[in-house]
Amino acid sequence: MIEYRIEEAIARYREYYEFKPARESAGIEDVRSAIEHTNLKPFATPDDIKKLCLEARENRFHGVCVNPCYVKLAREELEGTDVKVVTVVGFPLGANETRTKAHEAIFAVESGADEIDMVINVGMLKAKEWEYVYEDIRSVVESVKGKVVKVIIETCYLDTEEKIAACVISKLAGAHFVKTSTGFGTGGATAEDVHLMKWIVGDEMGVKASGGIRTFEDAVKMIMYGADRIGTSSGVKIVQEGEERYGG
């Protein structure tokens, strides 16, 4: 069934796909509400995370994205706000055992995470081990039922058909979003990848663009081509730039 759905999506892509903006424009509030203010640096300190959370509160971002060891701290810093706590699972390689990813997700939610960004098993995807990839994602979705799960497909390592397969499997497995990149690979988000991903998953799922988004223009372009969320460590700069150019 999985292979059939992938082949069906590839055939549809070959016949009907057209690269064009999903919307004509995006404003400052569209960008602000899409940003997941991110610090996944291996040398991030508790003070860095506190600063991240303060900036997210002040700028009314959708959320913060932090490493698992800082979920509890972020939850405390954001108590009483609408800012979501997002963390990563199987990060950044995606090569953990499936049960490790599932347990990691459970621990993250117990610590206060609202959303989980898990990394797909890139090697198994490229080997066309569709059932493995499906179960890997499904195990995380099932382990944290009720929480948003995003699947990082690491587009920089995939060809077009593999990107399509990753999106199809993520959707079948019950994930809520597909995400372009970890930020630790050889490339980040592109409008072309964001648009393709949104075209494949449709309105039933979201797309998170991440990796290399550093300006207001970058963020607007990603949203115009289908991104629902923006993962960036430059959130404050992006919003300030938008306010300076176009008004707050």
Side-chain angles (χ1 to χ4, degrees), residues 59-60 78 82 100 157 159 174 182 192 196 206 212 220:
N59 288 279
R60 306 189 307 280
L78 295 169
D82 294 327
T100 302
Y157 299 131
D159 63 27
T182 61
E192 290 79 8
L196 173 64
V220 167

Side-chain angles (χ1 to χ4, degrees), residues 25-166:
S25 63
I28 183 71
E29 291 307 317
D30 296 313
V31 171
R32 186 193 303 278
S33 62
I35 288 175
E36 294 182 14
H37 200 31
T38 301
N39 189 338
L40 296 170
K41 295 181 177 69
F43 47 82
T45 66
D47 284 344
D48 292 332
I49 302 305
K50 289 178 181 179
K51 181 172 182 284
L52 187 82
C53 293
L54 176 61
E55 291 171 344
R57 290 203 312 267
E58 290 177 341
N59 288 279
R60 306 189 307 280
F61 293 148
H62 172 81
V64 298
C65 186
V66 300
N67 280 309
C69 66
Y70 287 129
V71 168
K72 191 171 290 186
L73 174 61
R75 177 82 282 149
E76 292 169 356
E77 292 296 309
L78 295 169
E79 197 66 43
T81 76
D82 294 327
V83 181
K84 304 296 184 186
V85 177
V86 185
T87 194
V88 289
V89 161
F91 193 85
L93 301 179
N96 309 61
E97 280 194 42
T98 295
R99 57 184 175 176
T100 302
K101 290 182 181 178
H103 284 298
E104 194 176 359
I106 291 168
F107 295 150
V109 169
E110 289 176 350
S111 295
D114 298 299
E115 302 183 5
I116 301 293
D117 289 14
M118 67 168 290
V119 185
I120 203 168
N121 191 307
V122 179
M124 289 297 192
L125 179 74
K126 294 185 78 66
K128 294 182 170 57
E129 295 289 347
W130 309 135
E131 289 290 343
Y132 183 100
V133 177
Y134 171 86
E135 291 298 338
D136 194 56
I137 297 168
R138 188 69 182 167
S139 69
V140 173
V141 173
E142 289 292 326
S143 70
V144 293
K145 275 188 175 177
K147 300 296 182 181
V148 170
V149 174
K150 310 185 199 86
V151 180
I152 307 172
I153 69 172
E154 202 68 298
T155 51
C156 61
Y157 299 131
L158 308 179
D159 63 27
T160 298
E161 292 191 2
E162 289 166 343
K163 292 168 190 173
I164 292 171

